[in-house]
Amino acid sequence: MTKINKRSIGFDVRLQIREAAEGGESRIIEGYALKFGVRSRLLCDWWENYYEVLEPGCITRETLDACDIMLTMFHDRQLILGRSKMGVGTLHYEIDEIGVKFWCEVPKTADGDKALELISRGDISGCSFIYSTDERDSENAVSYELSGEKTEDGDDILLRHVKRIDKVYDFTITPKPAYEQTTVSKREVEEAGVVFDKPKTTTVEQPKTIDLAKKREAIRVLKERINRTV
């Protein structure tokens, strides 16, 4: 079972905005789309409450370079700020010990101007992402355990460990990231140190439809297994 995960719940984080040299205006935004070892806000998916942690090594450069990743606003694929198709395009990224860092010179369009203005004002301060992984591979892809916390209704809250991300569909700038420590900011063009290639025009791959009935059954089996081991 492949699960498509949309991360867009959280709260604002502070931005560091740097002006371009000699009074110019920078159109480069940068930030961390995801961070390793950081517990997410409380998420609710398929009627389950859980926290999520992206484990170090869950994503590789090779995986990112094999994806068609769009930099969007609010997960809206009509609001495109940049794109990386098979590692080539206007969206750039690198993986370090913190997570996946990205940077992009946004276009001189109404959407690009809007993004810069909202980031400069502090109205947008976080990042989110959409990814998929194989739910069936509990050994290598994902695993669950009880977090030790309960909801107000007394239901157990799970802790989901993501050990492997199979595909990334987008990075997005958002006022409500699932991971409160993700950030986005503007930076000086002089510090970018990259050549911005024009993205190729290709068909955007869409996330697959989720089978909710199968997901509910998988969660039921998971809870039974956890309860037998505690």
Side-chain angles (χ1 to χ4, degrees), residues 14 58 66 82 101 109 111 130 140 143 150 152 158 178 200 223:
R14 292 181 180 273
C58 68
K101 185 177 183 178
T109 62
D111 292 335
I130 297 177
N140 300 303
S143 64
K150 293 182 179 292
E152 293 181 356
L158 300 175
K200 299 178 181 178
K223 279 191 169 182

Side-chain angles (χ1 to χ4, degrees), residues 18-20 24-29 116 186-189:
R18 290 174 286 175
E19 297 298 330
E25 180 184 4
S26 170
R27 298 189 67 85
I28 293 178
I29 61 175
L116 291 175
K186 291 167 59 178
R187 73 170 180 181
E188 297 178 9
V189 176

Side-chain angles (χ1 to χ4, degrees), residues 26-31 71 80-83 89-93 102-107 116 185-187 192 194 196:
S26 170
R27 298 189 67 85
I28 293 178
I29 61 175
E30 68 172 358
L71 177 62
I80 302 173
L81 302 176
R83 184 175 181 180
T90 53
L91 172 62
H92 306 271
Y93 46 76
F102 74 90
W103 59 95
C104 178
E105 183 175 25
V106 299
L116 291 175
S185 64
K186 291 167 59 178
R187 73 170 180 181
V194 296
F196 294 98

Side-chain angles (χ1 to χ4, degrees), residues 34-38 54-59 95-100:
L34 59 95
K35 288 189 174 183
F36 303 137
V38 176
L54 304 176
E55 299 296 340
C58 68
I59 187 72
I95 301 174
D96 58 23
E97 68 279 3
I98 298 174
V100 176

